[in-house]
Amino acid sequence: MEAFTLCKGLLNPKTFNKFSFIVNVLWILAGITLFAVLIKESRSDFRCDVNNAKVDKDFVTQKCFVEYEKLYNKLSVPLYGFVIANFSFPFIVCVIYSIWATPRVKKLESRNIDANTTQRKLFTTYCCQLATRFCVGIVFILLLLSEVFYPREFPLNFKCNFMREVNQSANTTGTAQTPTYECNNKRAHPKTFWMYAVSGANGILAALLLFECFVILSRARKWGKHFMNDLQFYTDHLTSTGNYNPLEERVQLEERLHGECSAQLETSIKSMKESVLKNTDRLRDLSSPLKPNPGEGDKPKDFKLDQIYTNLIFHPGRADYHFPENRREQLKMYPKPERKLPPKRPGDIVDDLHKNILIVGRPGIGKTLFCTKFLRLWASDRLFEEAQNPELRFDVAFLVKFRRLNFTAKLNLRELLDYSEFSTDMTDEVWHYIRENPSKVLFVFDGIDEYSARKKIQEDDSIYRDTVEEKMPLHALYTKITSGKLLDGATVLTTTRPTAVSCVRDPDPSRVIEILGFSSGQVKNYVEKYTGDDKDAGATIWQHISNNLNLFSLCYIPVNCFIICSCLLYILKTQLTSYSADAFASCAVKLIFFRHSNRYRNKTVGQDEITTPFEELPEDVKGDFKKLGTIAFKGIKEGRLTFESEEVANLEDCGLLHRLPDLKPGAKRPLENPKLNTASSI
């Protein structure tokens, strides 16, 4: 009982296998027993026969005992001292191990674990203490067998002789005598027995330790390397009850860890989606273009994205443009008939067969708004709810606008994603998920034509490693993503104006789609959304647009439709009855110009600037309008809509001109060429 109390006080039972802990208890019990037996040895057990009454018997016995010890205890270590050392060293090793292992075991017992659960510190240390105890036991056996301390057997009888001066009398000269005495050690046989008992105990301990090592190795062979992991070793070996299934425990552990990681990942993705929904609800581009001065007039009509967004017409591949000679027929080219190309929802253009999709569209056709709506539908889990492939889903989506990345600094993939629109800071859980599940990732790159280094996209990117940690220019990083060298399996959607299509020839997109804007039915639908509950205003605006073919031909471009609706509603609300058609045209042309011109695209224009007569505009703006007027007059006079690039120099992005591809003889598809442009007059 005392041995058990001592072991439990110095050793933590949970740091040992039950079998091993019992061995430790028996070991200490054996050590205490042997010590108690051998400590009782005394000199009184050693006796010598002294027949001469003149000789001091005690003196002879003492001298002979010393001689006995010199012969059979060479290092003067009492047998009980050897027993103390023999049984203490292995126990001390256990105590040191138990003190180290206790905090680790408590952590494993409570399952309060982290990524370090794959470490093998507990397994390694446990095996080391087994090996150390085994070696100590063998060493002590060898010490006994090699007779370093004691003989193999202690003799029972011992003949003792030593020199001693004997004083016979005062008148007699002393003579030297060498007497021999017969001595007897009645503890000789018990000491021999207990010495062999110590060797036997060490042998038994070594055998038990070898048995436990065999059990550990057999389990490791059966269950594989994961058995050596700390948690698995603790649950399988240290707490084993004989019917434990470590595979089941491992599965349960993996499920729990997966559940915790999944919960963290789900929280992070939910946070990203909430950020997207919050930041895409109201967009600056959907605010009223006719803003009165503060405190003057009615509140401007600003829209939410879901409130005003209207599905667009998509053309598979690049669209061909064939303009008839008759002007009235020319104006009917736009909007496109809905019966030939029905409008599509954002989710309809993505499937699991096409991973690199290019969307082409002229300025103002709705590319950026489409990308934003696409991301918003993803964030609200409605992207594929009515799509042809409802099983397709993206767990993570990023919108990257090229115009925000016109700098020369190099960046890696994670840094690129930090520049994405609307999303919050990406967590490690999301980053790990992206790397492990690229097929569930969507990249939307908007406006490659606005990237200053777009021509470098065709350059060789092999000078940079195909790793997510490698820093490289954006054009190289974009190429590696679209080619699958990074995050192979991710879906990439890129938008561009027709003028920059040649920059994304390699790798060749798996699908090319051109946005054609609104059909006639979409224009009407858009007007109804714009006016909302004001049915009378909606009917009036639609009647005005549908009865004016020149005006109607502009409305296939969503931003133009937005501007025209804004102008007409402004006229209706302000009741400017004297506002003529020319005045309306002037207002609409100015809004389109300010909306598309590079100088004013990101600026807020008040209604004072729009209602200002042309002759009172700033000189640079007035000069541009004068050039546009000259081109329009020339087109009407000569009956043509196409002009050479030098005729429209510096006006390509004014919003009133549309650049067309040059159809070269023998060409399989339209090639980009800035020489031919088409202008539409109001």
Side-chain angles (χ1 to χ4, degrees):
M1 189 66 183
E2 290 77 5
F4 180 81
T5 304
L6 176 64
C7 287
K8 196 169 183 180
L10 297 177
L11 304 179
N12 182 358
K14 295 181 180 180
T15 60
F16 294 90
N17 178 274
K18 289 183 179 179
F19 169 80
S20 182
F21 186 76
I22 292 174
V23 170
N24 287 331
V25 173
L26 294 177
W27 180 255
I28 292 301
L29 181 62
I32 294 174
T33 301
L34 286 172
F35 175 78
V37 171
L38 295 174
I39 194 66
K40 295 178 180 179
E41 182 182 10
S42 66
R43 199 182 67 182
S44 61
D45 297 320
F46 188 88
R47 296 182 179 184
C48 295
D49 293 333
V50 180
N51 298 322
N52 191 343
K54 297 181 179 181
V55 178
D56 188 345
K57 186 176 181 180
D58 290 338
F59 177 80
V60 171
T61 302
Q62 180 179 1
K63 281 290 185 179
C64 290
F65 183 77
V66 171
E67 292 297 323
Y68 187 93
E69 287 292 309
K70 286 181 180 180
L71 286 175
Y72 303 113
N73 190 356
K74 300 176 182 179
L75 299 180
S76 300
V77 177
L79 189 56
Y80 67 84
F82 184 88
V83 169
I84 292 175
N86 181 82
F87 286 88
S88 295
F89 284 177
F91 186 72
I92 291 173
V93 172
C94 291
V95 172
I96 294 174
Y97 157 76
S98 184
I99 292 174
W100 177 89
T102 295
R104 185 71 174 167
V105 167
K106 287 182 178 178
K107 190 175 182 181
L108 295 170
E109 183 182 24
S110 63
R111 295 299 194 268
N112 182 21
I113 56 176
D114 51 20
N116 292 329
T117 53
T118 58
Q119 290 186 353
R120 300 171 179 175
K121 293 182 179 180
L122 183 63
F123 172 83
T124 303
T125 310
Y126 190 87
C127 291
C128 286
Q129 63 89 15
L130 288 179
T132 303
R133 290 163 62 195
F134 176 82
C135 292
V136 169
I138 297 298
V139 167
F140 275 90
I141 291 176
L142 294 176
L143 289 175
L144 290 176
L145 295 179
S146 61
E147 303 182 28
V148 173
F149 286 90
Y150 316 106
R152 294 195 177 184
E153 292 185 4
F154 287 93
L156 177 63
N157 299 314
F158 175 68
K159 290 184 178 183
C160 172
N161 54 70
F162 57 92
M163 295 294 296
R164 180 171 183 264
E165 292 183 355
V166 181
N167 296 323
Q168 295 180 345
S169 64
N171 299 323
T172 305
T173 304
T175 59
Q177 297 179 348
T178 309
T180 299
Y181 302 98
E182 295 291 336
C183 298
N184 176 271
N185 184 8
K186 69 177 184 178
R187 299 282 299 178
H189 289 332
K191 286 179 66 173
T192 301
F193 171 79
W194 293 121
M195 186 179 67
Y196 279 105
V198 172
S199 297
N202 285 1
I204 294 173
L205 175 65
L208 294 175
L209 294 176
L210 280 178
F211 173 75
E212 186 173 6
C213 289
F214 173 78
V215 171
I216 292 174
L217 291 176
S218 63
R219 286 179 172 176
R221 181 180 179 182
K222 181 178 180 180
W223 302 115
K225 292 183 178 180
H226 70 273
F227 169 79
M228 294 181 283
N229 296 343
D230 283 0
L231 179 60
Q232 191 64 45
F233 180 74
Y234 168 75
T235 53
D236 181 31
H237 187 70
L238 300 189
T239 63
S240 177
T241 58
N243 57 355
Y244 176 73
N245 186 347
L247 181 59
E248 180 181 352
E249 171 70 17
R250 181 167 66 94
V251 170
Q252 293 176 354
L253 171 64
E254 290 177 352
E255 290 178 350
R256 189 177 67 82
L257 292 176
H258 178 71
E260 292 178 356
C261 293
S262 298
Q264 295 175 355
L265 176 65
E266 184 178 350
T267 300
S268 299
I269 293 178
K270 182 180 179 182
S271 177
M272 293 177 64
K273 289 183 176 181
E274 290 175 349
S275 177
V276 169
L277 292 174
K278 178 182 178 181
N279 290 287
T280 59
D281 187 32
R282 293 182 181 272
L283 301 176
R284 184 178 181 276
D285 291 342
L286 296 180
S287 60
S288 175
L290 289 166
K291 288 188 177 294
N293 295 326
E296 299 178 5
D298 295 335
K299 184 179 180 180
K301 195 174 184 64
D302 299 330
F303 290 94
K304 294 183 177 181
L305 179 58
D306 294 339
Q307 179 184 2
I308 195 64
Y309 184 84
T310 304
N311 290 325
L312 300 166
I313 300 294
F314 291 92
H315 185 281
R318 294 298 306 280
D320 296 329
Y321 298 90
H322 303 287
F323 289 94
E325 294 183 0
N326 183 274
R327 170 154 178 86
R328 188 170 186 83
E329 295 299 321
Q330 292 172 357
L331 294 176
K332 291 181 180 180
M333 289 295 298
Y334 298 106
K336 290 286 185 182
E338 187 171 328
R339 62 181 179 275
K340 292 184 179 180
L341 294 172
K344 290 184 177 293
R345 295 175 293 270
D348 292 333
I349 70 169
V350 180
D351 57 43
D352 49 9
L353 298 178
H354 300 88
K355 296 297 184 179
N356 184 11
I357 303 171
L358 179 65
I359 297 180
V360 184
R362 62 164 296 181
I365 205 72
K367 300 184 297 297
T368 298
L369 204 63
F370 167 81
C371 292
T372 307
K373 180 65 175 179
F374 197 101
L375 203 69
R376 184 169 176 81
L377 287 172
W378 164 78
S380 59
D381 300 322
R382 295 187 294 114
L383 181 58
F384 299 112
E385 61 181 2
E386 298 179 1
Q388 297 177 356
N389 187 0
E391 296 182 358
L392 181 65
R393 68 182 178 89
F394 298 109
D395 292 332
V396 186
F398 299 93
L399 171 59
V400 179
K401 294 186 178 180
F402 274 101
R403 67 171 177 265
R404 300 192 189 277
L405 296 170
N406 280 316
F407 52 81
T408 57
K410 296 180 180 180
L411 66 170
N412 57 34
L413 181 59
R414 183 162 186 174
E415 291 171 340
L416 171 65
L417 299 182
D418 288 335
Y419 281 103
S420 63
E421 303 289 321
F422 313 127
S423 299
T424 56
D425 293 337
M426 184 170 51
T427 63
D428 291 337
E429 290 80 13
V430 174
W431 173 240
H432 177 74
Y433 183 80
I434 290 172
R435 297 181 62 177
E436 296 295 325
N437 303 274
S439 62
K440 299 300 182 182
V441 181
L442 170 69
F443 293 99
V444 181
F445 290 95
D446 182 41
I448 202 171
D449 53 280
E450 298 180 286
Y451 179 47
S452 58
R454 58 184 177 274
K455 294 183 179 179
K456 294 184 179 181
I457 292 176
Q458 301 301 318
E459 295 180 356
D460 184 16
D461 63 346
S462 61
I463 60 175
Y464 303 103
R465 296 177 301 162
D466 299 335
T467 63
V468 295
E469 294 84 10
E470 181 80 351
K471 288 181 177 285
M472 62 190 80
L474 175 60
H475 55 81
L477 191 55
Y478 171 77
T479 301
K480 287 188 180 292
I481 294 173
T482 54
S483 63
K485 295 178 182 178
L486 289 180
L487 297 184
D488 185 23
T491 298
V492 181
L493 192 154
T494 306
T495 71
T496 181
R497 293 181 182 181
T499 54
V501 170
S502 60
C503 297
V504 289
R505 268 193 310 233
D506 188 19
D508 193 32
S510 58
R511 171 179 284 176
V512 178
I513 299 174
E514 183 165 354
I515 299 179
L516 301 183
F518 289 156
S519 66
S520 56
Q522 296 300 97
V523 174
K524 182 178 181 181
N525 182 252
Y526 188 90
V527 172
E528 292 173 352
K529 288 184 177 181
Y530 188 93
T531 54
D533 296 334
D534 195 342
K535 304 297 183 182
D536 293 338
T540 302
I541 291 175
W542 170 242
Q543 183 180 14
H544 189 81
I545 292 175
S546 60
N547 291 335
N548 187 327
L549 197 55
N550 287 317
L551 199 60
F552 193 51
S553 66
L554 289 175
C555 286
Y556 80 95
I557 299 177
V559 70
N560 290 349
C561 192
F562 177 69
I563 291 171
I564 290 171
C565 288
S566 299
C567 290
L568 291 174
L569 186 63
Y570 173 75
I571 292 172
L572 289 175
K573 293 299 182 182
T574 54
Q575 298 180 354
L576 297 178
T577 54
S578 60
Y579 217 76
S580 63
D582 291 340
F584 164 75
S586 173
C587 176
V589 167
K590 290 174 187 174
L591 278 177
I592 293 173
F593 176 84
F594 287 128
R595 198 78 173 187
H596 291 291
S597 174
N598 288 331
R599 285 175 291 174
Y600 295 95
R601 183 177 300 167
N602 297 319
K603 297 180 181 179
T604 301
V605 180
Q607 65 185 37
D608 290 344
E609 288 87 343
I610 303 302
T611 57
T612 299
F614 282 106
E615 58 272 13
E616 297 181 13
L617 291 172
E619 290 298 324
D620 55 345
V621 178
K622 186 164 49 177
D624 288 341
F625 276 116
K626 186 176 181 180
K627 292 178 183 179
L628 288 169
T630 301
I631 293 170
F633 179 76
K634 186 176 182 179
I636 294 173
K637 182 179 179 180
E638 298 177 3
R640 66 188 179 99
L641 292 177
T642 59
F643 302 90
E644 298 294 331
S645 58
E646 58 269 15
E647 295 178 276
V648 294
N650 301 322
L651 295 173
E652 293 88 345
D653 295 326
C654 69
L656 298 171
L657 300 175
H658 177 42
R659 178 170 293 176
L660 294 176
D662 181 19
L663 295 178
K664 293 186 177 181
K668 294 183 179 180
R669 64 178 180 85
L671 299 177
E672 294 305 323
N673 193 315
K675 289 186 177 181
L676 291 181
N677 298 273
T678 296
S680 299
S681 59
I682 297 179

